[in-house]
Amino acid sequence: MQHPVQPSTQPYSHPQPYQQPSAGPAQLSPSLSGLSLQSQTPEALRVVNLLQERNLLPLGPVTPPTPCLPQDLQKINCHPEVFRSTLTSIPQTQSLLNKAKLPLGLLLHPFKDLSQLPVVTSSTIVRCRSCRTYINPFVTFLDQRRWKCNLCYRVNDVPEEFMYNPVSRSYGEPHKRPEVQNATLEFIAPSEYMLRPPQPAVYLIVLDVSHNAVETGYLDVVCQSLLENINALPGDSRTKIGFITFDSTIHFYNLQEGLSQPQMLIVSDIEVLPKPLFSSLVQDLLRSLPQMFGKTMETQCALGPALQAAFKLLSATGGRVSVFQTQLPSLGVGALKSREDPNQRASAKDIQHLSPATDFYKKLALDCSGQQVAVDLFLLSSQYCDLASLGCISRYSAGSVYYYPSYHQQHNPAGVECFQKDLKRYLTRKIGFEAVMRIRCSKGLSIHTFHGNFFVRSTDLLSLPNVNPDAGFAVQMSIEENLVDMQSVSFQAALLYTSSKGERRIRVHTMCLPVVNSLSDIFAGADVQAITCLLASMAVDRSVTASLSDARDAMTNASIDSLTSFRTSVLTIQQPGLLAPACLRLFPLYILALLKQKAFRTGTSTRLDDRVFAMCQLKYQPLAYVMLMIHPALYRVDDLTDEGALNVSERTIPQPRVQQLSVEKLSRDGAFLMDAGSVIYLWIGRNCNPNFLTQVLGLPNYAAVPLNMNMLPELDTAESQRTRVFVGWLREQRPFFPILHVIRDESPLKASFLQNMIEDRTESALSYYEFLLHIQQQVSK
C-alpha cells in the first residue's frame, strides 16, 4: 500500500501522548477546566510606571505571549509567525472586549516558507459536515468513531480510511493521524477541489521602454536577471513566458519555434491580438531588448492599454503579469496627471490625493482577479508616479508593489543592487496560482474587515489569483454571541492553491486560544506587536476614507483608551504616574513611532509616493518585517564580541543589545547600526575608534569616510568578519534586500537616520517623554 503521508515534522511541534478528553460542552481536555490565571500576578501584568522606567526595550527580540492553554495543546498550537491574534485570551463577550479598549484581530502569514511542512496525500480529506472545518489537533474524539468539531460543535463520523494511521502503520487510532497532530499542514487535494484542470505557470513580463525608462538603465538589469534565473522560474513542462514592451504603442514578440529570431509586432488595434508562443527564442530576445530601444525618443507611456493587452493575453489561462514602469502614464486609458504639489509636502495638516484619481486600475484588477491573473508592479522612478492610483492594479489582484525611488544605473548604484537582489528573489520564490483563502472561527465569533492585497469574493472568501510566501494578511473580528460555555475558541485559515507543478494543494493553519471573563486576563494576554500592526492597517484605511489627521488621532486614542481602561478597571491600588501592564509597556512607544513613520508623519517633507508606498507596506508585509519599519533596531557595533553570540550553520553571529532610538544613545567615539527594515544605516561617530575604521571600513581616518558608501569591504580581520556576518544575518531574515548606507555627519542621508530617532523631539513632533505626558494627562482626566 502506498503511504499517503510523507513523514516530516514541523520545526515547532512534537506528537503528544494522547489524552482521552471528556465529552462536555466543547471541552478540549480536562486540564483546561481547573485553569485560573488569578493565583499569582503574572509578569505580563506587572505594573510599570512609564514616566519613570525608561529602559523598556528587551535585550533581544520582543516575543509574543504564549496562550494560557494546557501544556499538551500549547505544544501543538500554530506558530505565531504564521498565525497570531492581537489578544491571546479571547473575551467572553463583546461588552467585555469593548471595555478593554483593545482591538481584536488576527495576523496571518499563510504561505510563509517553512523549513518543514507535513504533506498528506489522501483520497478522503476529513472535514466537518456542517461548517466544512478541516479536522485538526483541537477537535474532540468522543470515541474512535466520532469526533466533535471545534468550530461549530457538530459531532461527525470518522471515515473508515481515517482509522488507519500511515505513519505508525497501525489501525484504530485516528487521534494519532498527522492531521490531528499538526496545527499547520498541507493536503494534496483530490479532483473535487478543482473547478478546472490546474492551470500551468504562465508569466508575462511587461516593460516600459519609453525614453525615460531606457535612460534609467533598468532594462539591462531586468533582462540580465531573467537570463540568469529563467531556469529557476517555478513551473513544469507546461510553463510559458511572454513579453510586451510599450511606449506610445504596444509591442508584442512572436517567439514561435522555427523563426530564426524573435519578431516584434506593433499592434495599434488591441482588439486583434496575436497569440504569443513561448520558446527558446526568449534568450535571444532578452539579449537584444536593451539595445533595441537604446536610441528611442518616445517620451509617451501607454500603461493602461499595455495592461489591457496583458489581461487579454492571460485571461484564458490565468497567470502572473510583472509590470515595470518608470513614469506617470500619459496616453490612452488610465492616463494620469500629476497631483502632487511639492510645496505642500511638509506644511499641509491633511494630505490630499491618498486615494486613486481614477477607478480604471481597480476595475481592471477586478477583471484580472476574475480570470486568475495577478499583476505585480515594479515602480522605478525619480518623479511622482501616482502610486495611489497605480497601486490598485496590484492591491485588488493579489499582486505586490515594489518601489525604487530615484532609480538610476549610474547615479544610484545601491538602488540597482537592491533591485537586482529583490528581482532574483521575486523570480525564484515559490508561487501558488488560482488560490482562495477562507478564515473560519468558532461559533460566536465573526470576521468583519480584511487587510492585505486581494479581492473579497464572498463574505469570508479571499480571491488570490497568485499567492506568494512574502505576503501578510490581517482581519478584524467581533464577538457576536457570548462565549459563556466555552473554555477555548479556534481559528482556521485554509489556503487552496495550484502549485507551480500543477498540483492542487490545501494549506491549513489552526490556532486555539482560551476564553476568559476578566479584564485582567484579557490584558495579560495582549500581544503588543500584533496590536500595533493591526492598528497600523486600520489607520491606513482611515487615512484614505476619512483623513490623515483622523487616523493619527485614532492611533493616539487607542493608547490612551487602553491605558485608561487598565487604570480604572484592572488596577486595584491607584498610584501616580502613567501606569501600564508590562505586556503593553511598549505600546505608547510604538504608537509614537507610527505617528512619526513615513505613512502618517506630518510637518516633515514627505513625497506623496513615498508616503503611499509606506502605507502599502503596512497593509501587506507580515508582522516580523513591518515592526522594523515602525520601530527600527539600533545596535552599537564598534565593540562587537562573541559573548552571547548565536551559532547558526557554522557561523558565529554577534548579538549586540538593542539601544533606545535617541541621539543621546549615540556616542562620538562609537559606530552604530540602525536596522529600519528596508534600509540599514551605519553611523560613524566623529571620534570613532580608529581600530573600527581601519579593521572594518578599511579607512585610515574619519575624514576618509566617503559620503556615499554602501558596501563593507571584505577584510581579513576578526572585526570585519564579525560586522559582515552580523549585517548578513540581519539581511537573511527578510525576503527583500535592505541597502546599507554608511553615514557620517556630512552625509546627505544623516537626516533620514535621525528621523528614525523616535524618542527625540523634532520641530513638528513630540519627544517620547512629551508624548507620555500628553497620554498621562488624557488618562488621568
mmCIF file of all heavy atoms in Angstrom, residues 161 339 373 744 761:
data_model
loop_
_atom_site.group_PDB
_atom_site.id
_atom_site.type_symbol
_atom_site.label_atom_id
_atom_site.label_comp_id
_atom_site.label_asym_id
_atom_site.label_seq_id
_atom_site.Cartn_x
_atom_site.Cartn_y
_atom_site.Cartn_z
ATOM 1 N N GLU A 161 -11.292 5.135 6.268
ATOM 2 C CA GLU A 161 -9.900 5.291 5.845
ATOM 3 C C GLU A 161 -9.067 6.010 6.911
ATOM 4 O O GLU A 161 -7.861 5.798 7.039
ATOM 5 C CB GLU A 161 -9.828 6.085 4.526
ATOM 6 C CG GLU A 161 -8.438 6.038 3.921
ATOM 7 C CD GLU A 161 -8.243 6.995 2.740
ATOM 8 O OE1 GLU A 161 -9.244 7.395 2.114
ATOM 9 O OE2 GLU A 161 -7.081 7.337 2.462
ATOM 10 N N ARG A 339 -0.594 65.037 -9.400
ATOM 11 C CA ARG A 339 -1.476 65.628 -8.375
ATOM 12 C C ARG A 339 -0.663 66.143 -7.202
ATOM 13 O O ARG A 339 -1.216 66.519 -6.184
ATOM 14 C CB ARG A 339 -2.456 64.570 -7.848
ATOM 15 C CG ARG A 339 -3.349 63.972 -8.917
ATOM 16 C CD ARG A 339 -4.422 63.114 -8.283
ATOM 17 N NE ARG A 339 -3.936 61.833 -7.772
ATOM 18 C CZ ARG A 339 -4.630 61.034 -6.951
ATOM 19 N NH1 ARG A 339 -5.823 61.407 -6.533
ATOM 20 N NH2 ARG A 339 -4.136 59.894 -6.536
ATOM 21 N N VAL A 373 -5.680 36.217 -12.802
ATOM 22 C CA VAL A 373 -4.459 36.933 -13.203
ATOM 23 C C VAL A 373 -4.086 37.914 -12.091
ATOM 24 O O VAL A 373 -4.934 38.689 -11.645
ATOM 25 C CB VAL A 373 -4.686 37.727 -14.515
ATOM 26 C CG1 VAL A 373 -3.464 38.590 -14.847
ATOM 27 C CG2 VAL A 373 -5.007 36.773 -15.669
ATOM 28 N N ARG A 744 28.138 59.613 7.887
ATOM 29 C CA ARG A 744 28.903 60.442 8.830
ATOM 30 C C ARG A 744 28.179 61.776 8.916
ATOM 31 O O ARG A 744 27.144 61.970 8.271
ATOM 32 C CB ARG A 744 30.326 60.614 8.326
ATOM 33 C CG ARG A 744 30.394 61.033 6.864
ATOM 34 C CD ARG A 744 31.798 61.135 6.345
ATOM 35 N NE ARG A 744 32.256 62.516 6.464
ATOM 36 C CZ ARG A 744 33.316 62.983 5.821
ATOM 37 N NH1 ARG A 744 34.013 62.200 5.018
ATOM 38 N NH2 ARG A 744 33.688 64.231 5.969
ATOM 39 N N ARG A 761 12.675 64.770 20.122
ATOM 40 C CA ARG A 761 11.677 65.709 19.629
ATOM 41 C C ARG A 761 12.157 66.323 18.320
ATOM 42 O O ARG A 761 13.351 66.447 18.074
ATOM 43 C CB ARG A 761 11.418 66.703 20.745
ATOM 44 C CG ARG A 761 11.787 68.115 20.544
ATOM 45 C CD ARG A 761 11.160 68.984 21.562
ATOM 46 N NE ARG A 761 9.995 69.565 20.921
ATOM 47 C CZ ARG A 761 9.384 70.634 21.364
ATOM 48 N NH1 ARG A 761 9.777 71.203 22.458
ATOM 49 N NH2 ARG A 761 8.362 71.138 20.722
#
